Amino acid sequence: MNLVTIERHILEQQKHFPDATGELTDLLNDVAFAAKLVRREVVRAGLVDILGFAGGTNVQGEEVKKLDLFANEKIINAIGQHGRFAVMGSEENDGIIIPPKNETGSYALLFDPLDGSSNIDVNVSVGTIFSIYKLKGEDPCKASIADCLQRGSEQVAAGYVIYGSSVVMVYTTGNGVHGFTYDPTIGEFLLSHENIVTPKTGKYYSINEGSYAQFNESTKKYLDYIKEEDPATGRPYSTRYIGSLVADFHRNLLTGGVFVYPPTTTHKNGKLRLMYEANPLAFICEQAGGRATDGKNRILDIQPSELHQRTPLYIGSEDDVLIAEQFEQGLR
Ligand code: AFP
């Protein structure tokens, strides 16, 4: 059996980029290491006294669980200490983070330490999502928020780790999408899903339909459409909604389907974060042959203006996303 660890795969991928210095390879390995630390705590969540609310709210005004804080600290410390990133941004932090020894870094890291945190207490999958950009300027000591606020199309790598029935890390550096399953007996992520290609159409739609009353008429029409009986177009689709974006996205990536978080009356620009959720998953989705938009524009083309910017999100199988978009644009 030819076992390929994530470290080896990342190193092999470097060969596709003749100008690579190896720095990005080290960065991805740092992220994989941090994911192992977070995994260790996530799988023990029921055993140790870290369940429940930390008592505060995060910058999005949401309740913060202790495990979110733990994951955030672990990632900042494990990754920040090597001086490879000049600047970082986390969904849990209001502003940018400048790691100590950042003077040698030439990259910016944006991450959501534990996505789907309201699922922690009930043993449902959660995940870490990350996105890596090259600094815009030459001097890492001058790294600033501008290095974080780049279009998604500027990402040099993105990925996520899903802590589910097994722990899986998926990443892209713009040369396909690759997935690795964690083997706890040897402490390694092993290649399990090479070159993931998402189906062109799927059979699942993922949306929080409980918010129906808050949707606009276009979204309501789309939901009526997707539930209609029409065997020729594979309808009705089945609903699958976990409430952890990373888990819903991962399932749809492998099986085909569409995830929609549209504008609502309470979240006029959608709920999900452009920098921490939509951009990294859009990069992965496109690399796997899928599509990701805000209903009108390609996610990766959106010029961000703030770190915690929100966006509507239509992501998944190309044909399915196109149909959802057509409804959103009033073309159907
Ligand atoms: P939490 O981290 O607060 O659980 O939010 C998860 C999330 O950002 C994303 O992972 C889900 O897809 C989405 O929110 C669920 O939102 P709704 O509860 O509004 O459906």
Side-chain angles (χ1 to χ4, degrees):
M1 204 186 335
N2 184 20
L3 297 182
V4 180
T5 63
I6 195 163
E7 286 82 6
R8 191 168 134 214
H9 194 269
I10 291 169
L11 210 58
E12 289 287 321
Q13 286 286 305
Q14 194 185 313
K15 293 184 187 150
H16 296 285
F17 302 91
D19 297 335
T21 58
E23 202 180 348
L24 183 60
T25 301
D26 289 338
L27 290 180
L28 283 165
N29 283 325
D30 286 352
V31 174
F33 175 68
K36 287 181 194 175
L37 297 178
V38 176
R39 183 213 75 94
R40 192 179 62 188
E41 296 308 312
V42 169
V43 298
R44 293 192 313 157
L47 300 172
V48 288
D49 186 27
I50 54 174
L51 282 174
F53 299 119
T57 55
N58 71 9
V59 290
Q60 316 286 346
E62 300 156 335
E63 290 161 331
V64 173
K65 305 277 175 113
K66 287 181 182 174
L67 211 47
D68 303 40
L69 294 178
F70 174 86
N72 197 37
E73 274 171 32
K74 276 286 171 239
I75 293 172
I76 294 172
N77 294 339
I79 293 178
Q81 68 180 346
H82 292 137
R84 295 198 250 264
F85 285 106
V87 58
M88 294 158 83
S90 162
E91 200 218 88
E92 296 291 345
N93 291 58
D94 221 339
I96 55 170
I97 304 152
I98 301 290
K101 299 195 275 169
N102 77 325
E103 62 280 355
T104 48
S106 31
Y107 290 90
L109 173 75
L110 293 172
F111 66 98
D112 181 351
L114 218 50
D115 179 60
S117 49
S118 51
N119 277 325
I120 294 168
D121 285 353
V122 289
N123 286 70
V124 174
S125 302
V126 290
T128 299
I129 313 177
F130 65 92
S131 189
I132 300 175
Y133 296 84
K134 193 111 178 82
L135 293 188
K136 290 169 86 170
E138 296 284 309
D139 184 356
C141 297
K142 293 193 180 138
S144 71
I145 192 166
D147 295 297
C148 297
L149 295 180
Q150 302 190 50
R151 285 191 178 92
S153 55
E154 301 297 322
Q155 288 171 101
V156 293
Y160 60 83
V161 183
I162 174 166
Y163 313 99
S165 51
S166 56
V167 177
V168 172
M169 178 162 167
V170 172
Y171 85 93
T172 184
T173 50
N175 187 38
V177 177
H178 313 286
F180 301 79
T181 303
Y182 187 73
D183 182 341
T185 61
I186 54 170
E188 295 282 3
F189 282 102
L190 299 175
L191 182 61
S192 52
H193 301 72
E194 192 162 29
N195 270 319
I196 297 172
V197 176
T198 197
K200 226 166 162 334
T201 54
K203 53 182 183 192
Y204 297 131
Y205 73 102
S206 309
I207 182 169
N208 186 348
E209 225 167 328
S211 304
Y212 189 86
Q214 295 196 11
F215 294 155
N216 61 30
E217 288 311 309
S218 320
T219 307
K220 289 179 181 171
K221 264 175 82 178
Y222 170 65
L223 288 172
D224 293 342
Y225 165 88
I226 207 83
K227 288 184 288 197
E228 257 167 26
E229 296 266 348
D230 180 31
T233 52
R235 288 177 293 148
Y237 277 35
S238 289
T239 316
R240 292 286 187 279
Y241 193 75
I242 294 171
S244 288
L245 173 64
V246 73
D248 279 312
F249 174 81
H250 184 67
R251 182 202 51 249
N252 290 356
L253 181 75
L254 298 182
T255 62
V258 54
F259 176 97
V260 176
Y261 206 111
T264 65
T265 45
T266 43
H267 292 108
K268 299 221 170 352
N269 292 320
K271 177 191 172 194
L272 302 175
R273 297 81 171 165
L274 177 63
M275 307 310 296
Y276 306 113
E277 294 172 310
N279 268 337
L281 298 186
F283 186 23
I284 292 166
C285 191
E286 286 196 5
Q287 280 291 314
R291 185 176 172 90
T293 73
D294 68 357
K296 296 184 184 72
N297 313 293
R298 181 178 175 233
I299 290 290
L300 298 182
D301 286 340
I302 299 172
Q303 174 60 55
S305 54
E306 45 183 292
L307 272 181
H308 296 281
Q309 187 166 329
R310 297 181 191 255
T311 178
L313 183 61
Y314 300 73
I315 191 165
S317 295
E318 189 181 9
D319 291 351
D320 294 334
V321 173
L322 267 168
I323 292 171
E325 266 171 48
Q326 286 164 355
F327 275 97
E328 193 51 35
Q329 292 172 19
L331 302 173
R332 280 179 179 244

